[in-house]
Structures are given as C-alpha cells and as structure tokens.
Amino acid sequence: MSLKSIVRELREMRDGIGSMSRRAADGRAGGGRGGSRHSWPGLWSEQQQPPPPQQQLQRQEHQQQQQGRWANLPPELLLDVIQRVEASEATWPARRQVVACAAVCRSWREVTKEVVKTLEECGRITFPISLKQPGPREHPVQCFVRRDRATSTYLLYLGLSPSLHGENDKLLFAARKIRRATRTSFVISLVSNDFSQSSSTYVGKLKPNFLGTKFTIFDSQPPCDAVVLPNNRPSKRHFKQVSPRLPLGNYNVATVSYELTVLRNRGPRRMQCTMHSIPALCIQEGGKAPTPTGIIHSLDEQVPALSTSKGKEPAIEFSSTSLSADLSGPVCTNEVPLVLKNKAPRWHEQLQCWCLNFRGRVTVASVKNFQLVASVDPSLGIPAAEQEKVILQFGKIGKDIFTMDYRYPLSAFHAFAICLTSFDTKPACE
C-alpha cells in the first residue's frame, strides 16, 4: 500500500469517528469553542479530569471497533509509515497529518512519540507543546505578527510573511489587549475568538505596571524543574481547583523591564528580560534549557477528539484546566537565571537614524524594532560568540505587520509575550 493510500485511509477513518467526537465535545463543560482554520483548538489533555470508568470503557470499546485494524499493524510497518509521514509533511497545513497519526490509537501514539522529536532537535512545530519548547539552536523559527487595531488583537503566525489569501497561514497564538481603568494587560490564547482565562485555550498573560516600564509574563503551567516562590500577599479571589494534578494559578516565568527616560531624549528603547525559568548556563555548548513534553505524553491518556465539518479541515482537540489566580512570586531554578538585553544600535550619519542589521527581515523603521542578546556575568565563562547571537528579533515590515524570529533557549510563548510589550503605551520611556 502506498503512502498516499494510507493517508487517504486515515482521513476516511477520521471522518467516521467525527460524529462521536462532536457528541463528546458537546457534553464537556466549556468546550465547543473553535478557532480559525489552522489554529490550535485546545491545550494539553494531561490536565483534564478523567471521565467515569463506565464512560471510559464505552469509549474504549467504540474506539477499538473503529480503529482495530489499524492497531494490529506490525510494529516495523507502523514505524515506517509514521516516519514517512513525518518526513514528507514538514510544513503546515500538511503537517496536521502527523497529528492525525497520533490520534488513531494507543499504538500509533506510542510510535509517534518516538518519531516526533522536540522543536530544538527537529526544528518543526507539531503539537501545541512545541510552542512551550525551546527553539532550535542552528537557525531561528521565523514568524510574523498581524495587529488588528479595531479589536486590539495580535495574531502570531508561522512563516516568513503573510500569504496572499491567508488560508495557509498557521496560527500559533492570539493575544488581546484588555484595557482597565489604571492599566492594560494582554491575554494570550491558542485561538483568536476566545480570550477567557477559564477557557481550555488559555495559555498565559502579560501584566504591566502603571508606567509601562515593567511587564510580568505569566504562564498557565509551571515550567519544568522549577520552584514557585510563595506569594505573601493575600488574595480576595477564590477559585475552584479543577485538576488535582496541577496547582491552580498563573506562574511568573519572566520579567521585562524598560529603562526609565527622565529627560525624554529621543532614541531606541532600552530593555532587559529576566527569564526566571531558564538558567543562564543553558546557552553554552552542552547546556540544556527546560523542555516540557507534556502534550506528547498526554496522548497516552486519551485519544484527542476529531471534529469535522463540511468545508473545514478536522481539528485536533486538547483540553486544559482553567487557571486564574496569580502566583506573583517568580518561578526560579537552582541556577542563575538568563538575562537578555537589547542589542545596542549604531547611529548612521548619512541616514540620520539608528540602525541594526536585521538581515532583511525588517524593512520599516520603528521604535518597536529590537534585537535581544544574552547578558551574562563574566564569571560564568560563557564564550563571547554565544553572547553575540541574536536570540530574539522583532521588527516592522508593513502597516500592522511585524516579523518575529526566535531561537534557543526561548520558546514561542516567551518570544511572543516579550514582543507584546512593544505594543503597550510607555509614557515614561518615550
């Protein structure tokens, strides 16, 4: 059987279990909200409360009837099939076929876990957990941000630049600026039509201070191998614990600070990012940044629901707990945290402006443009070459269109949250 025939059979089987998935989605509280055509419909199923034993048994029997012939494939043949699919479908939207392979049955999920490497190793975004994993070391992950001024929404897409019609653009994250009486905040979601912190698509948020000089990045999940410092401030809000496996709250994973400008001198912004969950030594050769793998392992526990509708591609659903409380204490590792600073631009006498080499990725001058490099203590012995590497760069290429390129040790979530700080008003910095 050819590879195309196998993929076609997978699609037919997926269409057959679509009605079951829709019925299951209708019965879940908080479910049923979708995203755009190529957006993540939910988060990691690892945090969902398990269904009753009787419902689990009925679901397993139904799945065995629908997927029995695929579960009995010889291991060598199954490994070869998934390796071929993973190698051939390297870009989105075609890469959704790899996610579909992981949703067939338990044996397919086990093999898919072995074949699909982390983002640092393979450089390909596959599952939603890839957005929380460090980027590759050799080359940056190239994305672009589209700003909607009318709705104060910011959409992060994977790719070099927007496509002509936008149909093939892969949505990674969406953020919305929430305006309040004294300050603003940004809520980050996996879809562009649901920014509720009680939603399964909620990922994190960004909170500035009153002057817009300091921003705190909160993650909905605790980072790997990290300790959350206790928050001594009393909270007036009370929340119900949704999942016993995960503490309730938002986790302070990074802080972005802008230098206060007293004399209002015109020039580029000066910023510094302290990554509480990333050790500084991870950027040296042989260093290792925390790499979550929860979504891949969570595929063992439950087959993701596949929902289909006429004219739209099937969507892989992952669920999440609702996290709303703030753990204001930063998440800390046992090592010195990584600190990033913006690369100092040079003054161009002929152009009479500040200049940075964005290697063709930025074409419009803007105060929002920046490049971040590591700022480490000399006692750590980090080579100078590693400190000169641009870890994150962000810049404007058109009206409401910006490019964002990030690499190891930052994840897409870290990079997007840092870039969102450029869109907030900073009366004390300009």
Side-chain angles (χ1 to χ4, degrees):
M1 181 182 294
S2 64
L3 178 61
K4 292 183 178 179
S5 300
I6 293 176
V7 174
R8 185 166 54 251
E9 290 285 341
L10 281 174
R11 290 177 178 174
E12 293 176 356
M13 181 196 66
R14 183 176 56 192
D15 294 338
I17 65 175
S19 58
M20 176 198 69
S21 303
R22 285 193 294 271
R23 290 195 301 268
D26 294 338
R28 287 197 301 264
R33 290 191 176 185
S36 62
R37 183 180 179 185
H38 298 300
S39 63
W40 304 112
L43 217 72
W44 357 124
S45 59
E46 201 171 45
Q47 303 166 14
Q48 184 184 25
Q49 289 182 336
Q54 183 178 3
Q55 184 178 353
Q56 281 185 338
L57 181 61
Q58 294 177 354
R59 181 180 300 175
Q60 291 175 359
E61 293 177 353
H62 187 84
Q63 291 170 358
Q64 290 176 358
Q65 294 175 0
Q66 295 289 339
Q67 306 166 359
R69 58 174 180 168
W70 294 101
N72 296 326
L73 286 179
E76 296 80 6
L77 176 60
L78 178 58
L79 177 62
D80 182 67
V81 168
I82 296 181
Q83 285 179 341
R84 288 172 178 266
V85 174
E86 201 276 338
S88 61
E89 312 296 353
T91 59
W92 286 88
R95 194 157 179 81
R96 67 177 181 268
Q97 305 299 341
V98 181
V99 183
C101 289
V104 174
C105 59
R106 181 178 294 274
S107 60
W108 283 64
R109 293 194 297 277
E110 290 292 340
V111 177
T112 305
K113 287 195 310 182
E114 299 176 3
V115 173
V116 177
K117 304 301 181 182
T118 63
L119 179 59
E120 178 185 352
E121 295 173 330
C122 68
R124 298 173 181 176
I125 293 178
T126 307
F127 299 103
I129 195 62
S130 303
L131 305 178
K132 295 289 186 74
Q133 295 175 345
R137 291 177 180 263
E138 294 76 14
H139 56 83
V141 178
Q142 296 179 319
C143 312
F144 67 92
V145 178
R146 187 188 299 272
R147 174 176 60 181
D148 189 341
R149 295 176 182 267
T151 60
S152 298
T153 304
Y154 306 86
L155 305 179
L156 176 66
Y157 293 93
L158 179 66
L160 294 174
S161 59
S163 60
L164 184 60
H165 300 291
E167 295 180 356
N168 294 325
D169 295 338
K170 172 60 183 175
L171 179 65
L172 302 182
F173 283 126
R176 173 167 293 175
K177 180 186 290 188
I178 308 298
R179 302 182 185 274
R180 293 183 174 86
T182 57
R183 67 179 68 182
T184 61
S185 62
F186 294 84
V187 177
I188 304 175
S189 172
L190 291 173
V191 296
S192 59
N193 59 353
D194 187 2
F195 295 95
S196 172
Q197 294 189 39
S198 61
S199 170
S200 63
T201 60
Y202 172 69
V203 178
K205 64 181 179 180
L206 178 69
K207 294 179 64 176
N209 62 358
F210 177 74
L211 296 177
T213 58
K214 184 177 181 179
F215 297 80
T216 304
I217 300 174
F218 292 95
D219 194 340
S220 64
Q221 293 183 317
C224 300
D225 302 328
V227 177
V228 182
L229 296 183
N231 177 19
N232 296 325
R233 293 184 301 177
S235 176
K236 297 181 180 179
R237 297 179 295 178
H238 300 278
F239 300 93
K240 182 180 178 181
Q241 179 74 31
V242 179
S243 173
R245 284 184 269 178
L246 186 68
L248 183 66
N250 292 303
Y251 299 86
N252 181 351
V253 296
T255 303
V256 182
S257 302
Y258 285 82
E259 183 176 323
L260 183 64
T261 303
V262 180
L263 300 179
R264 299 293 183 93
N265 58 325
R266 300 296 296 175
R269 297 169 176 171
R270 296 179 178 88
M271 60 188 299
Q272 177 176 291
C273 306
T274 303
M275 313 304 298
H276 303 302
S277 60
I278 303 177
L281 292 177
C282 71
I283 64 173
Q284 66 181 0
E285 186 176 357
K288 187 66 176 177
T291 305
T293 56
I295 190 61
I296 300 178
H297 293 289
S298 69
L299 292 174
D300 291 335
E301 303 183 14
Q302 176 181 339
V303 177
L306 297 178
S307 59
T308 58
S309 59
K310 186 176 181 180
K312 295 184 179 180
E313 70 174 55
I316 310 298
E317 279 194 9
F318 301 92
S319 63
S320 170
T321 182
S322 59
L323 303 177
S324 302
D326 292 342
L327 298 181
S328 298
V331 173
C332 295
T333 62
N334 296 326
E335 304 177 30
V336 178
L338 176 66
V339 177
L340 305 177
K341 65 177 181 180
N342 63 313
K343 191 174 184 179
R346 61 180 180 86
W347 180 256
H348 198 290
E349 290 293 341
Q350 294 180 349
L351 299 178
Q352 290 294 299
C353 65
W354 297 95
C355 296
L356 277 172
N357 183 11
F358 288 94
R359 302 185 181 277
R361 289 285 288 158
V362 178
T363 57
V364 180
S366 173
V367 71
K368 297 179 176 62
N369 301 347
F370 67 83
Q371 291 179 330
L372 293 184
V373 296
S375 175
V376 297
D377 192 292
S379 62
L380 297 178
I382 305 296
E386 295 294 334
Q387 301 183 40
E388 290 297 324
K389 287 184 179 179
V390 176
I391 297 178
L392 171 63
Q393 75 173 23
F394 178 76
K396 191 173 184 179
I397 60 174
K399 184 178 180 181
D400 298 325
I401 300 294
F402 304 81
T403 59
M404 187 197 84
D405 301 341
Y406 75 97
R407 63 191 306 163
Y408 178 91
L410 292 185
S411 66
F413 171 73
H414 291 141
F416 185 47
I418 293 174
C419 293
L420 287 175
T421 64
S422 294
F423 294 105
D424 195 43
T425 304
K426 303 171 182 63
C429 300
E430 300 173 353

